[in-house]
Amino acid sequence: MNRQIRLGGTWTPVIGWLIGANVALFLAQNFSPLVTEWLALVPGAVWPHRLHTLVTYAFLHGSVGHIFFNMLTLYFFGGDLDLFLGRRRFLTLYMGSALAGGLAALLLPANTLVIGASGAIYGLLVAYAVYFPRTEVLLWFLLPMKMWVLVTLWVGISLFYSVFGSGGGIAHLAHLGGAVFGFAYTLRLWRPLPMLKDLQYRWRRRRFKRIQ
C-alpha cells in the first residue's frame, strides 16, 4: 500500500474567508484594544450581555505566532474537509466546534481571557482523523505520524491539562470542547442508527481492503 503523506493544504473560498476574517480582526486588535474587550470571552462576564463572545472569541488571537499556527492548521486540513463535507456542513462543524470550545471555557476561572481559534481547529482535526485516519502528516515538518495518532496525542494532552491544571496559560478546556463537538458531529452521535450503519460500513470497507 502506498503511503499518503500530507505535505500541503487545499485552498477553497471558505478557507479564504475564514483566514481573512481572523487576520482582519487580529489587525483590528492591534489598532484598538476595544476589539478584544468587545469580542473576547471572559467566563464570568458572558451572561447576560456578552453571549456573542461564545463564538467571537474564536476570531481573535494574542500574537503573530498564535494566529499563524492556527491559520496554517486551518489551511492544511480545512480545505479537504470543506470539499468532502460541503460548505454548509463544514461551516457547521467549524462554528459548532468554536461554540463548544467557548461553552467548555466557561468552566475556567471567571476572570480568564479566552481568545483563539484553537477550539474550532481541534474540531476540524478530530473530524479529519475520523474521515482520513491513515493519512500521514509530518509532525514539526519532520516526523511522519498517522493522523489518528497525532490527534489522539493532542487531545490527550488537552484532556490531561484540563483535569490536572497548568498548561502555560493555554485554554485546554476550549480545545477539548471543540474536539468533543468535532467527534460527535462527525459520527452523528445524536443519531444512533445512522452512526451504527456508518461504523458497519467502515468495518466492511476495512475487511474488503484486507481481502484485496
Side-chain angles (χ1 to χ4, degrees), residues 62-78:
S63 68
V64 172
H66 191 196
I67 189 173
F68 174 78
F69 285 108
N70 274 342
M71 295 303 99
L72 185 66
T73 306
L74 173 59
Y75 163 67
F76 275 160
F77 303 105

PDB file of all heavy atoms in Angstrom, residues 62-78:
ATOM      1  N   GLY A  62      -3.737  36.313  20.213  1.00  0.00           N
ATOM      2  CA  GLY A  62      -2.902  37.104  21.094  1.00  0.00           C
ATOM      3  C   GLY A  62      -1.533  37.466  20.563  1.00  0.00           C
ATOM      4  O   GLY A  62      -0.859  38.316  21.132  1.00  0.00           O
ATOM      5  N   SER A  63      -1.086  36.813  19.492  1.00  0.00           N
ATOM      6  CA  SER A  63       0.245  37.086  18.953  1.00  0.00           C
ATOM      7  C   SER A  63       0.309  36.614  17.509  1.00  0.00           C
ATOM      8  O   SER A  63      -0.572  35.885  17.033  1.00  0.00           O
ATOM      9  CB  SER A  63       1.317  36.373  19.779  1.00  0.00           C
ATOM     10  OG  SER A  63       1.214  34.958  19.621  1.00  0.00           O
ATOM     11  N   VAL A  64       1.378  37.014  16.819  1.00  0.00           N
ATOM     12  CA  VAL A  64       1.579  36.582  15.438  1.00  0.00           C
ATOM     13  C   VAL A  64       1.730  35.063  15.373  1.00  0.00           C
ATOM     14  O   VAL A  64       1.161  34.400  14.494  1.00  0.00           O
ATOM     15  CB  VAL A  64       2.810  37.280  14.825  1.00  0.00           C
ATOM     16  CG1 VAL A  64       3.139  36.686  13.460  1.00  0.00           C
ATOM     17  CG2 VAL A  64       2.569  38.777  14.707  1.00  0.00           C
ATOM     18  N   GLY A  65       2.490  34.503  16.311  1.00  0.00           N
ATOM     19  CA  GLY A  65       2.669  33.062  16.331  1.00  0.00           C
ATOM     20  C   GLY A  65       1.364  32.325  16.559  1.00  0.00           C
ATOM     21  O   GLY A  65       1.100  31.286  15.948  1.00  0.00           O
ATOM     22  N   HIS A  66       0.532  32.874  17.440  1.00  0.00           N
ATOM     23  CA  HIS A  66      -0.760  32.265  17.757  1.00  0.00           C
ATOM     24  C   HIS A  66      -1.632  32.170  16.517  1.00  0.00           C
ATOM     25  O   HIS A  66      -2.152  31.090  16.177  1.00  0.00           O
ATOM     26  CB  HIS A  66      -1.445  33.115  18.837  1.00  0.00           C
ATOM     27  CG  HIS A  66      -2.652  32.468  19.437  1.00  0.00           C
ATOM     28  ND1 HIS A  66      -3.589  33.195  20.170  1.00  0.00           N
ATOM     29  CD2 HIS A  66      -3.111  31.193  19.417  1.00  0.00           C
ATOM     30  CE1 HIS A  66      -4.535  32.377  20.576  1.00  0.00           C
ATOM     31  NE2 HIS A  66      -4.278  31.162  20.134  1.00  0.00           N
ATOM     32  N   ILE A  67      -1.809  33.262  15.798  1.00  0.00           N
ATOM     33  CA  ILE A  67      -2.666  33.242  14.620  1.00  0.00           C
ATOM     34  C   ILE A  67      -2.010  32.475  13.479  1.00  0.00           C
ATOM     35  O   ILE A  67      -2.693  31.773  12.710  1.00  0.00           O
ATOM     36  CB  ILE A  67      -3.051  34.676  14.177  1.00  0.00           C
ATOM     37  CG1 ILE A  67      -4.127  34.605  13.087  1.00  0.00           C
ATOM     38  CG2 ILE A  67      -1.841  35.467  13.700  1.00  0.00           C
ATOM     39  CD1 ILE A  67      -4.701  35.952  12.712  1.00  0.00           C
ATOM     40  N   PHE A  68      -0.684  32.544  13.362  1.00  0.00           N
ATOM     41  CA  PHE A  68      -0.003  31.867  12.255  1.00  0.00           C
ATOM     42  C   PHE A  68      -0.230  30.363  12.313  1.00  0.00           C
ATOM     43  O   PHE A  68      -0.617  29.737  11.312  1.00  0.00           O
ATOM     44  CB  PHE A  68       1.492  32.181  12.286  1.00  0.00           C
ATOM     45  CG  PHE A  68       2.283  31.412  11.256  1.00  0.00           C
ATOM     46  CD1 PHE A  68       2.270  31.805   9.928  1.00  0.00           C
ATOM     47  CD2 PHE A  68       3.019  30.292  11.624  1.00  0.00           C
ATOM     48  CE1 PHE A  68       2.986  31.083   8.972  1.00  0.00           C
ATOM     49  CE2 PHE A  68       3.742  29.571  10.682  1.00  0.00           C
ATOM     50  CZ  PHE A  68       3.719  29.966   9.345  1.00  0.00           C
ATOM     51  N   PHE A  69       0.000  29.760  13.462  1.00  0.00           N
ATOM     52  CA  PHE A  69      -0.112  28.305  13.555  1.00  0.00           C
ATOM     53  C   PHE A  69      -1.572  27.843  13.480  1.00  0.00           C
ATOM     54  O   PHE A  69      -1.862  26.790  12.906  1.00  0.00           O
ATOM     55  CB  PHE A  69       0.557  27.803  14.830  1.00  0.00           C
ATOM     56  CG  PHE A  69       2.049  27.810  14.741  1.00  0.00           C
ATOM     57  CD1 PHE A  69       2.803  28.740  15.446  1.00  0.00           C
ATOM     58  CD2 PHE A  69       2.720  26.914  13.922  1.00  0.00           C
ATOM     59  CE1 PHE A  69       4.188  28.765  15.347  1.00  0.00           C
ATOM     60  CE2 PHE A  69       4.100  26.923  13.803  1.00  0.00           C
ATOM     61  CZ  PHE A  69       4.836  27.854  14.527  1.00  0.00           C
ATOM     62  N   ASN A  70      -2.499  28.637  14.024  1.00  0.00           N
ATOM     63  CA  ASN A  70      -3.902  28.271  13.885  1.00  0.00           C
ATOM     64  C   ASN A  70      -4.365  28.335  12.430  1.00  0.00           C
ATOM     65  O   ASN A  70      -5.052  27.438  11.939  1.00  0.00           O
ATOM     66  CB  ASN A  70      -4.785  29.174  14.752  1.00  0.00           C
ATOM     67  CG  ASN A  70      -4.925  28.676  16.169  1.00  0.00           C
ATOM     68  OD1 ASN A  70      -4.657  27.518  16.469  1.00  0.00           O
ATOM     69  ND2 ASN A  70      -5.351  29.552  17.063  1.00  0.00           N
ATOM     70  N   MET A  71      -3.980  29.395  11.724  1.00  0.00           N
ATOM     71  CA  MET A  71      -4.394  29.530  10.336  1.00  0.00           C
ATOM     72  C   MET A  71      -3.667  28.538   9.436  1.00  0.00           C
ATOM     73  O   MET A  71      -4.230  28.052   8.445  1.00  0.00           O
ATOM     74  CB  MET A  71      -4.150  30.965   9.844  1.00  0.00           C
ATOM     75  CG  MET A  71      -5.002  32.021  10.554  1.00  0.00           C
ATOM     76  SD  MET A  71      -6.796  31.725  10.435  1.00  0.00           S
ATOM     77  CE  MET A  71      -7.145  30.959  12.042  1.00  0.00           C
ATOM     78  N   LEU A  72      -2.420  28.214   9.770  1.00  0.00           N
ATOM     79  CA  LEU A  72      -1.694  27.205   8.999  1.00  0.00           C
ATOM     80  C   LEU A  72      -2.381  25.844   9.122  1.00  0.00           C
ATOM     81  O   LEU A  72      -2.542  25.121   8.132  1.00  0.00           O
ATOM     82  CB  LEU A  72      -0.252  27.113   9.495  1.00  0.00           C
ATOM     83  CG  LEU A  72       0.682  26.184   8.705  1.00  0.00           C
ATOM     84  CD1 LEU A  72       0.892  26.717   7.289  1.00  0.00           C
ATOM     85  CD2 LEU A  72       2.030  26.051   9.421  1.00  0.00           C
ATOM     86  N   THR A  73      -2.806  25.502  10.329  1.00  0.00           N
ATOM     87  CA  THR A  73      -3.516  24.243  10.538  1.00  0.00           C
ATOM     88  C   THR A  73      -4.861  24.249   9.820  1.00  0.00           C
ATOM     89  O   THR A  73      -5.270  23.245   9.218  1.00  0.00           O
ATOM     90  CB  THR A  73      -3.726  23.987  12.043  1.00  0.00           C
ATOM     91  OG1 THR A  73      -2.471  24.064  12.719  1.00  0.00           O
ATOM     92  CG2 THR A  73      -4.341  22.616  12.279  1.00  0.00           C
ATOM     93  N   LEU A  74      -5.559  25.385   9.867  1.00  0.00           N
ATOM     94  CA  LEU A  74      -6.823  25.513   9.145  1.00  0.00           C
ATOM     95  C   LEU A  74      -6.620  25.289   7.653  1.00  0.00           C
ATOM     96  O   LEU A  74      -7.406  24.583   7.004  1.00  0.00           O
ATOM     97  CB  LEU A  74      -7.431  26.896   9.404  1.00  0.00           C
ATOM     98  CG  LEU A  74      -8.674  27.275   8.603  1.00  0.00           C
ATOM     99  CD1 LEU A  74      -9.803  26.289   8.850  1.00  0.00           C
ATOM    100  CD2 LEU A  74      -9.118  28.694   8.954  1.00  0.00           C
ATOM    101  N   TYR A  75      -5.555  25.852   7.107  1.00  0.00           N
ATOM    102  CA  TYR A  75      -5.261  25.673   5.678  1.00  0.00           C
ATOM    103  C   TYR A  75      -4.906  24.227   5.359  1.00  0.00           C
ATOM    104  O   TYR A  75      -5.379  23.654   4.372  1.00  0.00           O
ATOM    105  CB  TYR A  75      -4.122  26.602   5.275  1.00  0.00           C
ATOM    106  CG  TYR A  75      -3.484  26.224   3.957  1.00  0.00           C
ATOM    107  CD1 TYR A  75      -4.203  26.327   2.763  1.00  0.00           C
ATOM    108  CD2 TYR A  75      -2.168  25.760   3.910  1.00  0.00           C
ATOM    109  CE1 TYR A  75      -3.623  25.970   1.551  1.00  0.00           C
ATOM    110  CE2 TYR A  75      -1.588  25.407   2.703  1.00  0.00           C
ATOM    111  CZ  TYR A  75      -2.312  25.507   1.527  1.00  0.00           C
ATOM    112  OH  TYR A  75      -1.750  25.147   0.335  1.00  0.00           O
ATOM    113  N   PHE A  76      -4.076  23.598   6.189  1.00  0.00           N
ATOM    114  CA  PHE A  76      -3.635  22.236   5.925  1.00  0.00           C
ATOM    115  C   PHE A  76      -4.793  21.237   5.884  1.00  0.00           C
ATOM    116  O   PHE A  76      -4.799  20.320   5.077  1.00  0.00           O
ATOM    117  CB  PHE A  76      -2.618  21.786   6.981  1.00  0.00           C
ATOM    118  CG  PHE A  76      -1.207  22.202   6.683  1.00  0.00           C
ATOM    119  CD1 PHE A  76      -0.262  22.238   7.698  1.00  0.00           C
ATOM    120  CD2 PHE A  76      -0.815  22.548   5.412  1.00  0.00           C
ATOM    121  CE1 PHE A  76       1.049  22.618   7.437  1.00  0.00           C
ATOM    122  CE2 PHE A  76       0.479  22.937   5.135  1.00  0.00           C
ATOM    123  CZ  PHE A  76       1.420  22.968   6.150  1.00  0.00           C
ATOM    124  N   PHE A  77      -5.769  21.391   6.803  1.00  0.00           N
ATOM    125  CA  PHE A  77      -6.790  20.366   6.943  1.00  0.00           C
ATOM    126  C   PHE A  77      -8.211  20.828   6.618  1.00  0.00           C
ATOM    127  O   PHE A  77      -9.078  20.009   6.318  1.00  0.00           O
ATOM    128  CB  PHE A  77      -6.754  19.802   8.376  1.00  0.00           C
ATOM    129  CG  PHE A  77      -5.415  19.241   8.750  1.00  0.00           C
ATOM    130  CD1 PHE A  77      -4.568  19.932   9.611  1.00  0.00           C
ATOM    131  CD2 PHE A  77      -4.991  18.035   8.229  1.00  0.00           C
ATOM    132  CE1 PHE A  77      -3.331  19.425   9.946  1.00  0.00           C
ATOM    133  CE2 PHE A  77      -3.742  17.507   8.558  1.00  0.00           C
ATOM    134  CZ  PHE A  77      -2.908  18.203   9.418  1.00  0.00           C
ATOM    135  N   GLY A  78      -8.446  22.129   6.672  1.00  0.00           N
ATOM    136  CA  GLY A  78      -9.803  22.617   6.474  1.00  0.00           C
ATOM    137  C   GLY A  78     -10.303  22.493   5.057  1.00  0.00           C
ATOM    138  O   GLY A  78     -11.476  22.178   4.826  1.00  0.00           O
TER     139      GLY A  78
END
